[in-house]
Amino acid sequence: DRLADAYNRPVYVAGNPFWQAEAFKATALIGGRESYGKDTENAISGAVTELARAGQTIVTTAEPGVGEMVIRAAAAQNARIVVFAQDNDLSALRMGLQGELREMVENGSAAIVTAQNPGYKVVERDGQKVRLSSPEDRRPDILGAATQFADRIILAAANERDMSALIAVEAGQVRPVAVMAPHMNQYDAYSANVSLMRANGSFMAE
């Protein structure tokens, strides 16, 4: 089961579990939480269009930046999307986008996945149990679940300090990972993409 593999604890799912279909294929589009420009948004919209045409379901996270751009593009095109969120009320998204995503759930083109008891997670660090409660603490868990759920990953835009870049590199050990080529004026915001494009064995998606 995809969700059992993605999460190590029970989850709450809102929407139609269309990933149970035999032919289900999914691509995760993840990235940073910065305010990226129109060029990046257009590139993400184009990627969503091509993936939807290929019969892919889009996977992303409920976050500002890349996550919101992916959700907006999917909503505009009525593309199928699975959104991994840190809480059931989608508090990380702008109010208007929360409404759009819930409408997509109602019309059957979207599903939202959150862990049960999303307010905290207990992990073991240095032999001690630590309770994680902030969105920043839980972000690796959400990004990791989204990438494990997908068949392939696209790192849309991230700097080298962003957790999404590390998660994409880790995911690349077991599944294909592509990186979007940055616009010439956004190399700083895309520093992780630039580094990965230069590395041997990486892929570039424009």
Side-chain angles (χ1 to χ4, degrees):
D1 181 81
R2 284 177 180 260
L3 285 179
D5 292 339
Y7 269 118
N8 59 6
R9 59 192 189 281
V11 297
Y12 169 78
V13 180
N16 177 26
F18 38 73
W19 53 80
Q20 294 177 357
E22 186 175 339
F24 178 82
K25 295 293 182 183
T27 297
L29 270 163
I30 62 171
R33 296 176 294 183
E34 299 180 31
S35 295
Y36 298 100
K38 198 66 178 177
D39 290 321
T40 300
E41 187 157 16
N42 289 339
I44 288 174
S45 179
V48 169
T49 298
E50 293 304 316
L51 291 168
R53 285 176 181 168
Q56 294 277 324
T57 294
I58 315 302
V59 180
T60 196
T61 53
E63 300 183 291
V66 167
E68 287 196 341
M69 289 181 175
V70 174
I71 295 169
R72 276 199 301 270
Q77 302 174 46
N78 200 33
R80 293 190 311 181
I81 186 168
V82 179
V83 178
F84 284 77
Q86 295 179 351
D87 51 45
N88 294 339
D89 62 7
L90 304 175
S91 60
L93 299 177
R94 298 174 190 175
M95 291 296 294
L97 196 55
Q98 291 178 25
E100 285 190 64
L101 182 54
R102 294 191 192 284
E103 286 181 11
M104 294 175 71
V105 169
E106 291 177 5
N107 70 31
S109 62
I112 303 168
V113 181
T114 59
Q116 289 185 12
N117 301 317
Y120 68 89
K121 177 187 176 185
V122 177
V123 299
E124 190 166 315
R125 288 181 178 170
D126 299 323
Q128 300 290 323
K129 288 188 176 181
V130 179
R131 181 168 169 157
L132 306 181
S133 58
S134 73
E136 193 63 34
D137 286 330
R138 298 195 304 274
R139 190 172 184 234
D141 192 46
I142 301 301
L143 284 163
T147 55
Q148 289 183 53
F149 181 79
D151 300 292
R152 58 195 58 79
I153 295 96
I154 297 174
L155 182 65
N159 64 53
E160 292 177 302
R161 299 181 302 278
D162 194 271
M163 179 57 64
S164 63
L166 175 60
I167 295 294
V169 170
E170 290 179 348
Q173 305 300 314
V174 293
R175 50 180 56 81
V177 175
V179 296
M180 284 188 173
H183 187 272
M184 66 180 65
N185 296 326
Q186 295 183 306
Y187 268 45
D188 289 342
Y190 277 79
S191 58
N193 297 57
V194 174
S195 295
L196 289 172
M197 284 163 52
R198 291 172 178 164
N200 290 333
S202 66
F203 298 87
M204 181 173 68
E206 293 186 354

